[in-house]
Amino acid sequence: MADDNRRGEDDERGPGAAYQMFVVMEDLLDKLKLLDYEEEVLSKHNMKPLSRHYFASSAYMPSNPGEQFFMFTIIASWLINKAGRPFEQPQEYDDPNATVANILSHLRAFGGLVDFPPSKLKAGSGEHVCYVLDRLAEEALKKTGFTWRRPNYPTEEMEDESVMEDDAELTLSKVEDNMTGEPDDDDEEENIMDLEALKSRTNQSVSCTVLSSKPDNILESNTDATEWNLEVERVLPQLKVTIRTDNKDWRIHVDQMHQHKDGIKSSLKEAKGYLDKLQEEIGKTLEKVGSREKYINNQLEHLIQEYRSTQAKLSEAKELYQQGSGGVTERTRVLAEITEELEKVKQEMEEKGSSMSDGAPVVRIKQSLTKLKQEIVQMDIRIGVVEHTLLQAKLKEKSKMTREMHATNIPEPAVGVY
């Protein structure tokens, strides 16, 4: 199980602490396989299986921080849900800081120790990523009721070899005497009799002979000798015995080591002579190349000096060219500015000349004056009409007032009886 207190200060840990995450990653992969992450995570998201050191960071291992962080969030959310706490599966474009904060909050709820900054998890690999996933896997295994048990190693039973003291028993010396050589073809290997099968056959034959009773008379063979020899030649390949060697025996490995050692020594003696010759040839060739190089340098010394002086003149010419090109560029820029100002002045002069030679404004002024005179005449007529109307109104009012005055001054007629 993952230990919460296994991560401390760097000076308190041993030199092997840097490689502890590789061990934790291997344990994590076993726990994920116990939780059946291939079917529930990889098949669902169409992802490849994790390697043994997928989340372990190292300078000698290729890394993809974006992919590893996305895989970390997917597996962490799945483990949290497996542990019995609801957690929404993060998406690819979610805020990584919020996702990491949610994962660490659930880890604290499980009782996990979080003594590192959340930014350590954004890389997608490293010691802290392995620790978080391993701790969540432990909680998921607890939720499923899984418990670790001691391994049961199978006991190897030694087979008791029974020694049969009989005429039909084959000893190793007899087998070596009768063996003519190892067959090379596959057809001959099929015809070779196994030692275990031969033992079983001999045991059966012995048991049969014990059960059978002794013959009363002397047995006499009626078989022809030539036929017997032909049958022996036919059955002889099947009577060859093969002894199966155990590859786990240390004696075989020691013999193989000695054989390889002798082969290396013999090969080294042969190769050493060739290598010494090759070294001598390479040394002579290097000496020839060095002397030839010195000779060429001496012969071409004056050409090299001329080349160097020419190269210095070329660099000076390049500097002069750069200075001249810089002055030309500056003068070209000034010329462009002056040309632009000249174009503006020309455009203004053209506009003023066209306005002075054009009679359209005078015609427009005359038309405006004519129109203004017509409007003045119309206004005079309207003013005269209004004055005439006012005069008639005043006259009517004056005549009315005169009539009213005369009407009030006339005496009333005397009323009498005629």
Side-chain angles (χ1 to χ4, degrees), residues 38-49 70-71:
E38 292 96 341
E39 297 294 333
E40 298 186 11
V41 179
L42 300 182
S43 300
K44 182 179 179 182
H45 297 279
N46 195 15
M47 295 178 175
K48 296 180 180 179
F70 180 67
M71 181 67 77

Side-chain angles (χ1 to χ4, degrees), residues 314-354:
L314 178 61
S315 60
E316 292 177 358
K318 285 183 178 180
E319 290 180 358
L320 294 174
Y321 172 75
Q322 290 179 358
Q323 294 177 0
S325 62
V328 171
T329 304
E330 181 66 24
R331 289 176 177 80
T332 304
R333 185 182 61 80
V334 174
L335 177 61
E337 293 178 355
I338 294 172
T339 305
E340 186 178 358
E341 292 179 358
L342 181 60
E343 291 293 333
K344 290 181 180 180
V345 172
K346 285 182 179 180
Q347 186 176 1
E348 291 178 359
M349 289 177 64
E350 289 177 357
E351 290 179 356
K352 290 181 180 181
S354 61

Side-chain angles (χ1 to χ4, degrees), residues 339-404:
T339 305
E340 186 178 358
E341 292 179 358
L342 181 60
E343 291 293 333
K344 290 181 180 180
V345 172
K346 285 182 179 180
Q347 186 176 1
E348 291 178 359
M349 289 177 64
E350 289 177 357
E351 290 179 356
K352 290 181 180 181
S354 61
S355 62
M356 291 174 64
S357 61
D358 191 7
V362 178
V363 174
R364 287 197 295 271
I365 292 171
K366 289 181 179 181
Q367 290 177 357
S368 300
L369 290 174
T370 304
K371 188 175 181 181
L372 185 59
K373 287 179 182 180
Q374 291 177 358
E375 290 179 356
I376 290 172
V377 172
Q378 290 178 1
M379 288 298 292
D380 290 339
I381 293 171
R382 289 180 182 178
I383 290 170
V385 172
V386 172
E387 288 179 353
H388 180 68
T389 304
L390 289 173
L391 182 59
Q392 285 183 354
K394 288 180 180 180
L395 290 175
K396 285 181 182 180
E397 186 178 358
K398 187 174 182 181
S399 61
K400 184 178 179 181
M401 291 175 63
T402 305
R403 284 197 300 271
E404 289 177 356

Side-chain angles (χ1 to χ4, degrees), residues 161-215:
E161 296 181 358
S162 60
V163 179
M164 302 299 297
E165 296 179 357
D166 192 60
D167 295 338
E169 181 182 4
L170 289 177
T171 60
L172 186 60
S173 60
K174 292 181 180 179
V175 171
E176 291 178 353
D177 294 337
N178 294 330
M179 288 178 64
T180 58
E182 291 292 333
D184 295 333
D185 299 334
D186 295 337
D187 296 336
E188 293 181 358
E189 289 181 358
E190 294 179 357
N191 295 326
I192 294 175
M193 185 179 297
D194 193 4
L195 184 60
E196 298 294 334
L198 185 61
K199 286 182 180 179
S200 62
R201 290 183 181 180
T202 54
N203 292 335
Q204 291 178 0
S205 63
V206 170
S207 62
C208 292
T209 54
V210 171
L211 294 176
S212 62
S213 60
K214 295 182 178 180

